[in-house]
């Protein structure tokens, strides 16, 4: 018998499965349930499937079976997070878990207790949507690559841009206004890269600010950031990590950023 954990999210369907002693993963666009069905159909073995995620019921209906297990999204996510922490020999007593998916949700986990603390519509969908209107592409890899070559200098207003010759009330390099510099600065030479760098900066700063506030309310220092928006996205990770560290919290990124839900679903079978 072969087991699959499936996290059907707003943008991506993630699948986790065992290959010998290792967990392998694959994802498909949530608009392409046909590809998911085709991939599952290739298995010669009888399958045991556990589903999670906001589109789990839609996918179940599409696949035409009612024999699947179902696990609540955050329960699956926690199991997937704990599995990855254990693999890295990390033990965490209490933590904030910030899931940057299509949108972002922020939870608190302490032992077996968990609580949803906050959320924002700013997330991976925002990155794709704003990039589409500003630079004409919604292709994640291309957006990330461009942003890493971009500069936010003429996009954002920094605190030090405003407090010239005045004593700084906070660190001068912090952003005072995302995209606010577009009103006054001279345009850069590589505007496409700079626009997407600005979008990534805005998303990272909004999300880390919320996560830090959530950590403050619970008196915890660890913040685990997950979600496929972080996959091979060094710039977003850097924005998030540097602000989180500045606020004296400890940012953690897991090796399989987007797959915690799918891994957790697999482990509950
Ligand atoms: N191949 C890809 N195709 C589309 N988006 C991608 C891809 N790789 C990374 N991303 C990014 O990941 C984001 C989706 O993240 P994730 O898979 O964690 O969300 P989701 O589970 O589908 O959504 P939610 O949890 O909010 O329902 C996209 O919005 C995009 O920014
Ligand atoms: Mg998700």
């Amino acid at each position: 018998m072969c087991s699959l954990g499936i996290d059907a999210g707003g943008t991506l369907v993630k699948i986790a499965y065992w290959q010998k002693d290792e967990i392998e993963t694959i994802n498909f666009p949530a608009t392409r349930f046909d590809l998911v069905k085709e991939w599952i159909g290739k298995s010669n073995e009888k399958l045991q499937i556990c589903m999670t995620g906001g589109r789990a019921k839609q996918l179940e209906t599409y696949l035409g079976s009612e024999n699947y297990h179902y696990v609540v999204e955050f329960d699956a996510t926690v199991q997937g997070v704990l599995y990855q922490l254990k693999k890295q020999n990390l033990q965490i007593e209490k933590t904030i878990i910030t899931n940057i998916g299509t949108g972002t949700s922020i939870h608190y986990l302490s032992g077996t207790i968990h609580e949803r603390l906050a959320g924002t519509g700013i997330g991976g969908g925002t990155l794709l949507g704003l990039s589409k209107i500003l630079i004409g592409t919604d292709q994640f890899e291309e957006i990330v690559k461009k942003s890493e070559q971009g500069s936010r200098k003429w996009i954002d207003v920094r605190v030090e841009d405003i407090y010239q010759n005045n004593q700084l009330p906070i660190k001068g390099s912090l952003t005072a206004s995302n995209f606010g510099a577009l009103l006054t600065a001279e345009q850069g030479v590589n505007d496409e890269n700079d626009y997407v760098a600005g979008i990534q900066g805005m998303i990272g700063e909004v999300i880390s600010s919320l996560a830090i506030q959530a950590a403050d309310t619970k008196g915890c220092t660890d913040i685990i950031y997950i979600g496929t928006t972080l996959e091979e996205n060094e710039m977003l990770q850097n924005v998030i990590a540097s602000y989180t560290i500045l606020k004296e919290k400890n940012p953690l990124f897991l090796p399989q950023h987007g797959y915690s839900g799918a891994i957790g679903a697999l482990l509950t079978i």
Side-chain angles (χ1 to χ4, degrees):
M1 173 92 72
C2 179
S3 304
L4 301 180
I6 303 182
D7 174 8
T11 307
L12 295 170
V13 176
K14 279 81 60 185
I15 303 180
Y17 56 99
W18 289 105
Q19 193 80 277
K20 298 213 169 77
D21 292 334
E22 290 297 321
I23 292 179
E24 295 285 324
T25 55
I26 186 167
N27 71 55
F28 300 94
T31 47
R32 297 298 308 269
F33 282 177
D34 57 319
L35 297 179
V36 179
K37 191 171 186 170
E38 190 185 302
W39 186 86
I40 292 174
K42 283 184 188 153
S43 170
N44 300 320
E45 291 178 75
K46 194 167 166 11
L47 291 173
Q48 215 176 2
I49 295 180
C50 182
M51 296 253 196
T52 192
R55 291 196 196 275
K57 288 289 160 199
Q58 293 164 43
L59 180 59
E60 190 178 271
T61 305
Y62 185 90
L63 296 175
S65 168
E66 280 154 17
N67 297 325
Y68 303 135
H69 302 275
Y70 177 79
V71 57
V72 174
E73 187 172 348
F74 192 67
D75 293 345
T77 304
V78 167
Q79 293 314 313
V81 166
L82 293 176
Y83 173 84
Q84 291 179 77
L85 289 175
K86 201 168 158 201
K87 267 197 100 178
Q88 296 182 85
N89 287 323
L90 285 173
Q91 253 190 336
I92 276 175
E93 191 200 328
K94 55 181 185 173
T95 184
I96 298 295
I97 298 177
T98 301
N99 189 356
I100 316 170
T102 312
T104 300
S105 61
I106 299 176
H107 292 254
Y108 171 63
L109 176 72
S110 169
T112 53
I113 297 165
H114 65 72
E115 193 184 333
R116 187 178 191 278
L117 295 178
T120 170
I122 302 286
T126 315
L127 177 61
L128 304 188
L130 289 182
S131 299
K132 188 173 177 180
I133 55 163
L134 282 178
I135 71 159
T137 182
D138 58 5
Q139 295 305 299
F140 180 76
E141 277 177 30
E142 188 186 341
I143 294 164
V144 169
K145 209 155 134 203
K146 284 193 146 119
S147 70
E148 282 169 354
Q149 290 157 7
S151 160
R152 296 169 62 193
K153 212 171 169 357
W154 65 279
I155 305 281
D156 300 330
V157 180
R158 290 172 170 225
V159 173
E160 66 202 5
D161 297 331
I162 300 176
Y163 274 76
Q164 290 172 16
N165 308 323
N166 260 5
Q167 200 182 349
L168 288 163
I170 49 173
K171 207 172 167 211
S173 60
L174 288 174
T175 308
S177 175
N178 294 92
F179 286 90
L182 287 180
L183 302 172
T184 49
E186 261 179 49
Q187 187 155 337
V189 282
N190 220 334
D191 53 346
E192 285 202 347
N193 296 353
D194 300 346
Y195 284 150
V196 281
I199 300 168
Q200 291 242 69
M202 180 179 71
I203 293 170
E205 286 165 5
V206 168
I207 290 170
S208 49
S209 298
L210 277 178
I212 290 159
Q213 282 176 28
D216 280 336
T217 63
K218 292 293 178 185
C220 65
T221 45
D222 291 318
I223 304 177
I224 299 174
Y225 292 98
I226 57 169
T228 322
T229 316
L230 296 163
E231 194 77 47
E232 310 261 352
N233 190 348
E234 212 177 305
M235 180 181 175
L236 185 62
Q237 290 186 39
N238 286 340
V239 170
I240 288 172
S242 62
Y243 194 53
T244 306
I245 291 166
L246 181 82
K247 293 291 180 176
E248 297 172 346
K249 304 285 183 276
N250 179 33
L252 287 155
F253 300 97
L254 301 178
Q256 286 168 299
H257 303 282
Y259 289 96
S260 296
I263 291 171
L266 177 68
L267 297 174
T268 51
I269 291 176

